[in-house]
Amino acid sequence: ADQSAPAETAATAETAAPAEPEPAEVVPIDFETLWETCPDAYAWIRIEGTQVDYPVCQMVEGDQSFYLNHRADKVAECAGAIYSENYNTRDFTDPMTVLYGHDMSNGSMFQNLHFYEDRAFFDDNREVLIYLPDKVLHYRIFAAYNTDDNHLLLNNDFEDEIIFYRYLQKVL
């Protein structure tokens, strides 16, 4: 008697059922409505475990620090808005994207980033969500540190892989 195992058939591209495409992740921000009052908003940042849940703005031209002291709806206010400068693209494809926001004593804007000084909080709250009009980006926090006001993008060419690597080694 033949005791060999039954022949297994391998699925090929011709015989395999087509894979179901994964559904796109739902973007919970209504950008069309947001743009009615905040025309320079191009993204939204949310960090679980913090109060960080804001639009991200960028002036295409003009004063790149405008949102330092203006809300996303362009109303003057000392808390400002979360923003990037036009040294960065709006699609988060640069090697380094810098988002600016105040450390407000009332816990708003980026003040809650100080929570990352606590190792347990750091370990339990590692994800940053960036919502764009057409997709959701997931980032994992790998370092948190205080820094000065040295302009990272003007003083470092992060397109140069060696400079980028050295910077990452420094913050780790």
Side-chain angles (χ1 to χ4, degrees), residues 32 34 69 71-72 78 98 113 119 121 126 139 143 151 172:
E32 294 295 328
L34 177 64
N69 55 18
R71 298 186 320 214
C78 66
V98 177
L113 295 183
R119 185 64 199 208
F121 182 87
R126 305 284 293 261
Y139 290 94
H151 198 289
L172 293 175

Side-chain angles (χ1 to χ4, degrees), residues 81-138:
I82 305 301
Y83 70 99
S84 64
E85 296 179 326
N86 67 5
Y87 302 107
N88 283 125
T89 61
R90 291 176 162 212
D91 61 6
F92 289 81
T93 58
D94 298 301
M96 172 76 72
T97 297
V98 177
L99 298 181
Y100 299 92
H102 283 295
D103 173 6
M104 300 299 293
S105 60
N106 68 0
S108 67
M109 307 317 288
F110 276 169
Q111 189 280 333
N112 288 180
L113 295 183
H114 286 288
F115 293 176
Y116 287 93
E117 295 169 6
D118 177 272
R119 185 64 199 208
F121 182 87
F122 180 93
D123 290 340
D124 292 340
N125 298 277
R126 305 284 293 261
E127 186 173 45
V128 175
L129 296 173
I130 300 291
Y131 299 107
L132 297 174
D134 62 341
K135 62 184 164 187
V136 180
L137 303 174
H138 295 261

